[in-house]
Amino acid sequence: MRNLASKRFFALCLIGLAGFLGLSQCATTPRAPEVVDESQVLLNFFETERDYLQEGGPFVIAASALRTNLLTKPKAQYLIDIRSPQAFARGHIAGSHNLEFQSIYDHVKGIDVSAYENIVVICFAGQASAYAVSLLRALGYSNAVSLKWGIGSWAAVFAQESWLKNLSNNRADQFIHTPSPPKNPKGTPPQLTTGKTSAREILEARARTLFAEGYGPVMLGHCCLFNDFYDNGGFYIINYWPTELYEKQGHIPGAVNYPPDETPFKSTTDLLTLSTRIPNVIYCYTGQTSSYIAGYLRLLGYDARSLLFGGNAMIYDRMRENKVPNTFIPETEIMNYEYATGG
């Protein structure tokens, strides 16, 4: 009897040991990493929680409105000038903080943004600043705004360096008046690989990448566009005008019309018709809205470019004669306000 009891006890010990080893093995076996479709996570976040592109309100502030604010409530305005130190020293709006593009995000994170009515980003012509504001608004800084027309609207001396030397009719004889080509078939968004899993982490990783790259990869001149497009069809060209103006004022040959009133950059409309194979070049009237849109699209992983100075750089006289919105009119857009010099 004693031997039988001993055998039973031994058997139970073996079963318990096996169970323990099995549990230990399960406890130490690493789980397979969670597979996250980062692109879809970020797109869902924008479209359900932070649709700043469609619902964020105006992203620009006019020079006249900014000057009024600086006179009546100066402490509620925080100015960031992203031009070079040399350009800043030649002249800037008093009270501006001179930063390089790559430093914007960390700088803004270091201030009490809620203490200001506006975080105003300033560049030469309002295009790089519009792109920066797009990234900041994506990150939740809804009071970030771009100085419309850039510092070129503040005084003529600045406009000479930007807008006044870029108003052009160089492409007027190449614009055509045909209906829009069809959009691409819908596909899937570019695949993001930040290694993050939550929308906010993915967004921050993408924003940091884009701030580090600067505005250079975004901007495209019309000379490069026409030469490269007609040489090898290297761009998917997006016209961001109402259909009426697209046909009446003419458009770049091959440009596909994405009318603003159709909210074309949603997954439920035409976002997924953008190219994931070649760069998407957006052009508007000024290059400011197209830069703002490019920021959103680049966060999602699209190779999006903005055509510098928009229609103003290609069919200026036609735009002015027909009173096309956002035509740069020097007599009314250059305010000639006072400015400071030095570092």
Side-chain angles (χ1 to χ4, degrees):
M1 292 292 292
R2 190 175 295 174
N3 288 339
L4 181 59
S6 297
K7 289 179 180 179
R8 287 177 178 172
F9 176 75
F10 181 70
L12 289 171
C13 288
L14 287 177
I15 293 171
L17 179 61
F20 172 76
L21 290 174
L23 287 173
S24 298
Q25 185 176 8
C26 290
T28 58
T29 300
R31 291 183 177 181
E34 183 182 0
V35 177
V36 174
D37 185 341
E38 296 185 24
S39 306
Q40 198 59 54
V41 169
L42 186 56
L43 180 57
N44 288 344
F45 173 74
F46 280 139
E47 294 193 338
T48 61
E49 295 186 44
R50 191 174 292 165
D51 188 7
Y52 77 94
L53 190 67
Q54 308 296 339
E55 300 175 2
F59 67 90
V60 296
I61 184 170
S64 56
L66 177 57
R67 185 169 184 269
T68 297
N69 288 348
L70 290 172
L71 291 174
T72 58
K73 42 187 174 182
K75 292 183 179 180
Q77 317 302 311
Y78 194 92
L79 311 185
I80 297 174
D81 189 319
I82 58 174
R83 295 174 301 143
S84 69
Q86 295 78 15
F88 184 82
R90 289 197 298 271
H92 57 269
I93 302 172
S96 298
H97 302 264
N98 188 212
L99 303 176
E100 60 179 0
F101 190 98
Q102 290 78 2
S103 301
I104 296 172
Y105 180 33
D106 284 331
H107 184 86
V108 170
K109 284 185 71 174
I111 63 176
D112 181 7
V113 174
S114 64
Y116 300 98
E117 179 182 63
N118 294 304
I119 307 296
V120 185
V121 186
I122 303 161
C123 67
F124 282 106
Q127 297 172 86
S129 55
Y131 179 65
V133 165
S134 181
L135 302 184
L136 289 174
R137 286 197 171 191
L139 290 160
Y141 299 105
S142 57
N143 57 344
V145 290
S146 171
L147 180 60
K148 187 176 182 180
W149 310 114
I151 202 165
S153 64
W154 197 260
V157 64
F158 306 123
Q160 293 288 351
E161 299 178 337
S162 56
W163 280 99
L164 294 181
K165 69 178 184 181
N166 283 287
L167 303 176
S168 167
N169 300 294
N170 286 343
R171 302 295 172 183
D173 60 347
Q174 294 174 272
F175 269 46
I176 59 176
H177 299 267
T178 58
S180 175
K183 299 177 175 67
N184 290 330
K186 287 190 175 184
T188 57
Q191 290 302 300
L192 300 178
T193 55
T194 67
K196 307 298 183 181
T197 56
S198 74
R200 285 174 171 78
E201 289 175 327
I202 296 167
L203 173 55
E204 174 147 359
R206 289 294 302 147
R208 285 198 174 279
T209 295
L210 297 181
F211 273 118
E213 289 177 355
Y215 185 60
V218 183
M219 57 186 186
L220 186 77
H222 61 84
C223 291
C224 296
L225 172 67
F226 275 75
N227 293 340
D228 287 357
F229 180 73
Y230 292 119
D231 285 347
N232 55 31
F235 299 107
Y236 183 64
I237 307 174
I238 296 168
N239 169 285
Y240 192 67
W241 293 357
T243 300
E244 178 187 0
L245 287 178
Y246 173 89
E247 296 181 357
K248 182 179 179 181
Q249 302 303 323
H251 53 270
I252 297 171
V256 183
N257 185 216
Y258 282 68
D261 61 358
E262 295 181 5
T263 59
F265 302 115
K266 287 179 170 287
S267 62
T268 53
T269 54
D270 296 314
L271 173 69
L272 300 180
T273 66
L274 301 188
S275 178
T276 56
R277 184 180 60 86
I278 56 177
N280 300 276
V281 180
I282 310 151
Y283 75 96
C284 61
Y285 307 120
T286 67
Q288 296 172 104
T289 300
S290 54
S291 293
Y292 189 69
I293 294 169
Y296 176 75
L297 297 179
R298 290 178 76 86
L299 285 166
L300 291 172
Y302 288 98
D303 184 351
R305 318 284 178 90
S306 173
L307 195 62
L308 290 172
F309 299 95
N312 279 273
M314 298 181 287
I315 55 166
Y316 177 70
D317 285 349
R318 188 183 303 174
M319 288 178 63
R320 183 161 183 166
E321 179 182 351
N322 291 286
K323 296 180 171 56
V324 173
N326 289 311
T327 303
F328 186 83
I329 310 296
E331 298 86 348
T332 58
E333 300 298 343
I334 301 175
M335 309 310 295
N336 287 313
Y337 295 141
E338 66 285 350
Y339 58 89
T341 58

